[in-house]
Amino acid sequence: MRCDALEENKRVFVREKNNNNMEIHFLPSLLVLSFIATAFGDGGELTLVQELSSKPAQKLSRYGWYGNIRLTMFHIPDDTVVARWLFTVTRGSGFNCGTHNVTMYMRWGAPPVIDPVGRLFPNNTVTSPVLSLNLPMTSSQSNTTFNLSNPAPGDWYLAAHLPRDDGRIEHKGFPSCSYLFQPQLSVRRAVDTPILQATPLTQSASPDRPARLRVFVPEFVSSLSVSGGLVRVNCSLIGCSAVLLAPPWNTWIRVTVDSYHSNRTTAFSISVNYTVGCKPQSVGMSGDDYINRLHGNSSTTTSPGNGSVVAEAGRHNNVSSECVWSVPVLREELDVLSVRFSPINGPNVTVTHTHPTLLTYPLNTQSTGGTLNLEITLNTTNATLGNSSVMACFSSWAPVLALNYSHPCHTGLFSAVGLSVNVSVPGTVIRLPFPQAATWYLTLQLFCNSSDCGNVTVTPQLHVSACIEDCGTYGECRLLRSFSYLYAACVCKAGWSGWGCTDDITAQSYGRQLTAVLLLTLSNLLFIPPIVIAVRRCYITEASVYLFTMFFSTFYHACDQPGLTVMCIMDYDTLQYCDFLGSVCSIWVTVLCMARVRDTFKHMLFMLGTLLIAMSMQLDRRGLWNMLGPILCAVLAMVTSWVYRGLKRKQCYPPSWRRWVLFLLPGLASALVGVCVYVFAETEDNYLYTHSLWHVLVASSVVFLLPPRETDSMNTWSPGVCGYTLCHSTKEELYTVT
């Protein structure tokens, strides 16, 4: 008989073979126990039903950070035999559409933790492997299918994205190529699966009709034994059994029996036996002491939240009669993706060498979008420690109650994390991004060289946070949403990268950060000449708008900087809104000023246009029509006014060729070049240069395009004296109204 362990995509196979080619293997992530037999007999067939589900199509993005992925969640029902996904990607017909591969990741129980660009994870971060798929785009529409036999029931998460972002800044509303991704799921599940018990159950299997059964593993089961025997194999009896240590608690395990040989049916009998390990001491029917302690804690705590006690844990008295020392745990929901677990009897937990200490942490689906943080600190004030060390095992689905040095931390099906603290290393910490929705167990036990090593105290701290250390100095933790599911990820700045923005391989130096903030802020000082010219020509309203734009653009870019060079005088969103509003209003008032309309009508358009621009900015701040709409309306008003003046005077307006050559054409060229740089040339790497050039070109265009002071008689006030109007010259100075 032979027993092997194989881990692949978080599946651990435990196989036992005898001389008669009988094989049994356990699949943890699929929660399946398989019996493979070779014999002949009669068999039955289960009833399979089909269920379909579909998700709406989503637009894919190039991967720059985790917020660029499109996350979808599917629910696999119990007793699912086969799950089949259909992935469809539709490519748009844009002029810049290329051929890109769509990358997909799948994981059971929590979103996949991925790193497509090969960056580093923060220290002490534990990740789980995921299933990766690629879909090449060979035509305008490509699709592929993925089949998974005996999938684990529960939530499956699917993430998809395009290749790595090339850094080009795309502005909303301009033509771009779109990739639409739509996943669909078809499952077939058995509705009448027999349940295994201690009493032998007679079943049959054939190559095309495998027998499917299931068995429930209750809590505190330390081992699971499945035994099977063939009813007839050439008049001889063959049997085999498999033992699974530390099986997952409160879980259905599926059993599949297949026949090796074709055209043969196997009849067999199968049964299951449990071995119940040590249980904590019962708390009895009264829970008033826990309620009173919970009430006492809630009256002194400073952070609000919803609290609950893991009530199945035992007490600390009479430990000599127990083989495990369970510690009751308080679960507090503080905020979105913020949960804190703490021992109800205080932060310190007693650990002994005679039996393990167990803490239980139930984690629901709402908490899987964050990061699970575990920190263990040893109380080094105890003088009897010596060379002693406290071993810890952090596992899901089932605890590890038999700790030893040879195999310190593993369960029958699922991997676990082993930790150790001693006098030399009194503290340790691990982080698990996107932990699975399950019950997590922390087992602690003291190991020492002498037989009488006493007890020690440790402080286990476990909590769920949105991001790892709030993404550090060079990152920002953002809350993301996929339909009704919430999760968090870090967006990095200043060239920093990685899951927690801790990888400095492409980080910007302090000098580059300082250069960026100086260029982007000081380039706004080029609006001082337009302000001075507008004041000298009595365009006070226009000068006020230019001053508003210069002020908020300067401090918006000072606040928009990452790292150590940031300075925010008010809320970032307010600065951004005022910067965008001032930029569009500057264009609006400049073009209307060039239109040469009456002052009353002009100021009415100023106010009406500003109100409409403010409304559109609130609806969609980065929309294309927020800038294009006011420009077109203002240009239409200017062209109408100029055509009217030209027809009235029977000559081109403005009539002076010097005005066209020295002012209008250079101003239009400066504005056109600025727009081209802003739309087509900006990337994340050259943003500090191209956007600063945009500031310079826009300010320069205002200097050239702002018209001279109006001296036309229609804008001259004529005072009245005793009912008579004072005479004034009505001669038009054509050279002054240009």
Side-chain angles (χ1 to χ4, degrees):
M1 184 164 293
R2 182 171 61 91
C3 182
D4 302 324
L6 172 65
E7 182 168 353
E8 179 182 0
N9 290 333
K10 209 175 181 182
R11 303 180 184 180
V12 182
F13 296 83
V14 180
R15 299 182 178 177
E16 296 187 3
K17 294 184 179 180
N18 58 17
N19 295 328
N20 297 286
N21 201 24
M22 300 290 294
E23 184 182 30
I24 301 175
H25 57 276
F26 299 90
L27 290 82
S29 66
L30 302 184
L31 303 183
V32 174
L33 171 67
S34 290
F35 237 144
I36 301 180
T38 58
F40 179 84
D42 297 329
E45 186 175 0
L46 296 178
T47 302
L48 301 179
V49 297
Q50 186 178 17
E51 296 181 3
L52 302 174
S53 60
S54 178
K55 299 294 182 178
Q58 301 184 73
K59 184 179 179 181
L60 294 178
S61 300
R62 290 179 173 269
Y63 185 86
W65 65 294
Y66 201 84
N68 297 131
I69 72 166
R70 296 297 174 261
L71 186 65
T72 306
M73 180 174 63
F74 286 94
H75 183 77
I76 300 294
D78 293 335
D79 298 326
T80 297
V81 177
V82 176
R84 182 180 183 183
W85 277 273
L86 173 62
F87 306 121
T88 304
V89 179
T90 304
R91 183 178 60 191
S93 58
F95 64 92
N96 58 346
C97 283
T99 301
H100 302 295
N101 292 340
V102 178
T103 306
M104 296 168 287
Y105 305 89
M106 296 183 66
R107 186 187 175 199
W108 169 58
V113 180
I114 61 174
D115 182 27
V117 296
R119 294 295 184 252
L120 298 177
F121 283 87
N123 295 331
N124 305 316
T125 301
V126 180
T127 61
S128 300
V130 298
L131 180 63
S132 177
L133 303 171
N134 284 321
L135 175 59
M137 289 298 300
T138 58
S139 61
S140 60
Q141 186 178 69
S142 298
N143 57 71
T144 185
T145 58
F146 175 71
N147 297 331
L148 188 61
S149 300
N150 297 316
D155 295 329
W156 283 76
Y157 294 81
L158 171 66
H161 64 82
L162 292 175
R164 183 180 178 181
D165 189 8
D166 56 3
R168 189 171 65 91
I169 299 177
E170 295 184 356
H171 297 280
K172 186 176 180 179
F174 289 93
S176 62
C177 188
S178 61
Y179 289 80
L180 297 179
F181 173 74
Q182 183 176 25
Q184 296 172 309
L185 173 64
S186 172
V187 298
R188 285 181 170 87
R189 63 183 183 90
V191 296
D192 49 3
T193 305
I195 299 177
L196 285 179
Q197 298 178 354
T199 303
L201 182 66
T202 301
Q203 293 288 309
S204 60
S206 61
D208 58 343
R209 292 183 302 180
R212 304 183 185 277
L213 309 97
R214 63 175 180 168
V215 57
F216 183 77
V217 181
E219 201 167 0
F220 304 114
V221 171
S222 59
S223 65
L224 173 68
S225 175
V226 178
S227 301
L230 301 179
V231 176
R232 54 183 183 274
V233 182
N234 297 328
C235 298
S236 63
L237 182 64
I238 300 177
C240 65
S241 64
V243 178
L244 178 64
L245 299 177
W249 290 356
N250 296 323
T251 304
W252 285 97
I253 292 183
R254 281 176 258 169
V255 179
T256 303
V257 182
D258 292 316
S259 176
Y260 267 145
H261 299 291
S262 59
N263 301 325
R264 293 186 181 181
T265 301
T266 304
F268 60 92
S269 64
I270 186 171
S271 61
V272 62
N273 292 313
Y274 303 108
T275 300
V276 178
C278 56
K279 292 184 179 181
Q281 184 179 358
S282 176
V283 299
M285 295 297 294
S286 175
D288 294 340
D289 51 352
Y290 288 136
I291 295 296
N292 293 334
R293 293 178 186 180
L294 179 60
H295 176 72
N297 287 342
S298 62
S299 62
T300 58
T301 184
T302 58
S303 58
N306 297 325
S308 60
V309 177
V310 182
E312 64 267 23
R315 304 181 181 180
H316 278 212
N317 54 353
N318 299 328
V319 296
S320 60
S321 62
E322 301 176 5
C323 56
V324 60
W325 193 342
S326 286
V327 179
V329 175
L330 172 66
R331 181 180 186 273
E332 295 179 278
E333 296 184 5
L334 306 177
D335 203 345
V336 179
L337 296 181
S338 179
V339 181
R340 180 175 61 192
F341 297 88
S342 57
I344 194 65
N345 297 313
N348 296 325
V349 174
T350 302
V351 181
T352 181
H353 72 287
T354 58
H355 52 266
T357 301
L358 179 64
L359 294 91
T360 305
Y361 307 103
L363 203 65
N364 54 20
T365 304
Q366 289 76 15
S367 302
T368 59
T371 301
L372 189 62
N373 305 273
L374 173 62
E375 182 178 1
I376 301 176
T377 306
L378 176 65
N379 185 3
T380 57
T381 59
N382 193 334
T384 63
L385 286 175
N387 295 327
S388 303
S389 62
V390 176
M391 296 186 62
C393 185
F394 192 53
S395 59
S396 61
W397 297 97
V400 179
L401 299 179
L403 295 177
N404 55 72
Y405 282 104
S406 59
H407 298 284
C409 189
H410 71 83
T411 63
L413 297 181
F414 294 93
S415 59
V417 181
L419 305 169
S420 178
V421 291
N422 49 44
V423 177
S424 302
V425 185
T428 183
V429 61
I430 60 169
R431 306 178 179 92
L432 284 77
F434 299 158
Q436 284 189 336
T439 300
W440 291 77
Y441 301 91
L442 177 62
T443 309
L444 302 166
Q445 191 166 358
L446 177 63
F447 289 85
C448 53
N449 297 328
S450 61
S451 59
D452 184 17
C453 54
N455 300 335
V456 297
T457 58
V458 298
T459 304
Q461 299 178 355
L462 187 138
H463 68 279
V464 177
S465 61
C467 299
I468 296 179
E469 295 183 353
D470 203 24
C471 302
T473 305
Y474 296 96
E476 179 184 353
C477 184
R478 294 188 180 180
L479 185 64
L480 307 172
R481 182 179 65 86
S482 175
F483 301 99
S484 60
Y485 180 76
L486 298 178
Y487 59 103
C490 291
V491 54
C492 305
K493 299 180 180 180
W496 289 75
S497 57
W499 188 265
C501 300
T502 56
D503 193 340
D504 60 350
I505 188 173
T506 58
Q508 298 177 5
S509 63
Y510 177 77
R512 178 176 173 82
Q513 297 179 40
L514 185 61
T515 301
V517 69
L518 291 178
L519 282 176
L520 291 171
T521 55
L522 297 182
S523 60
N524 287 282
L525 298 180
L526 268 295
F527 271 94
I528 294 180
I531 295 174
V532 173
I533 294 176
V535 172
R536 289 179 58 89
R537 297 179 181 178
C538 296
Y539 296 132
I540 306 301
T541 303
E542 291 83 344
S544 302
V545 175
Y546 302 151
L547 179 62
F548 178 92
T549 303
M550 182 184 69
F551 178 83
F552 281 101
S553 179
T554 300
F555 286 101
Y556 163 67
H557 286 290
C559 184
D560 190 46
Q561 297 305 307
L564 303 177
T565 58
V566 61
M567 186 187 71
C568 299
I569 63 172
M570 59 181 65
D571 182 68
Y572 175 84
D573 188 72
T574 302
L575 291 173
Q576 185 188 68
Y577 179 83
C578 293
D579 173 54
F580 287 17
L581 177 64
S583 300
V584 180
C585 287
S586 296
I587 300 175
W588 172 254
V589 299
T590 301
V591 180
L592 286 180
C593 185
M594 296 171 60
R596 293 291 200 178
V597 296
R598 292 180 179 272
D599 288 345
T600 303
F601 187 60
K602 181 180 71 174
H603 289 95
M604 184 271 294
L605 291 178
F606 282 177
M607 181 59 66
L608 179 60
T610 302
L611 294 176
L612 293 177
I613 293 171
M615 179 195 67
S616 63
M617 286 290 176
Q618 182 65 27
L619 295 176
D620 187 3
R621 193 169 301 178
R622 298 182 179 275
L624 172 63
W625 286 99
N626 289 337
M627 180 178 292
L628 189 59
I631 291 177
L632 293 179
C633 293
V635 169
L636 179 61
M638 182 189 68
V639 171
T640 303
S641 176
W642 283 11
V643 170
Y644 172 77
R645 288 174 177 264
L647 293 176
K648 183 178 180 180
R649 300 177 181 183
K650 298 182 180 180
Q651 59 178 338
C652 181
Y653 185 86
S656 174
W657 64 269
R658 294 184 179 88
R659 181 67 184 169
W660 284 94
V661 174
L662 301 180
F663 296 97
L664 294 180
L665 294 181
L668 293 175
S670 179
L672 182 61
V673 172
V675 170
C676 292
V677 170
Y678 177 80
V679 174
F680 302 108
E682 282 190 355
T683 64
E684 294 181 358
D685 294 332
N686 65 12
Y687 179 79
L688 70 162
Y689 304 110
T690 54
H691 201 77
S692 299
L693 181 61
W694 155 257
H695 291 164
V696 174
L697 293 174
V698 169
S700 301
S701 66
V702 174
V703 172
F704 286 104
L705 296 177
L706 201 63
R709 183 178 180 181
E710 177 68 77
T711 59
D712 200 317
S713 60
M714 67 178 62
N715 292 322
T716 304
W717 176 62
S718 300
V721 179
C722 298
Y724 294 92
T725 301
L726 296 181
C727 297
H728 62 277
S729 175
T730 60
K731 181 180 179 181
E732 289 184 335
E733 300 292 342
L734 297 181
Y735 66 91
T736 62
V737 294
T738 59

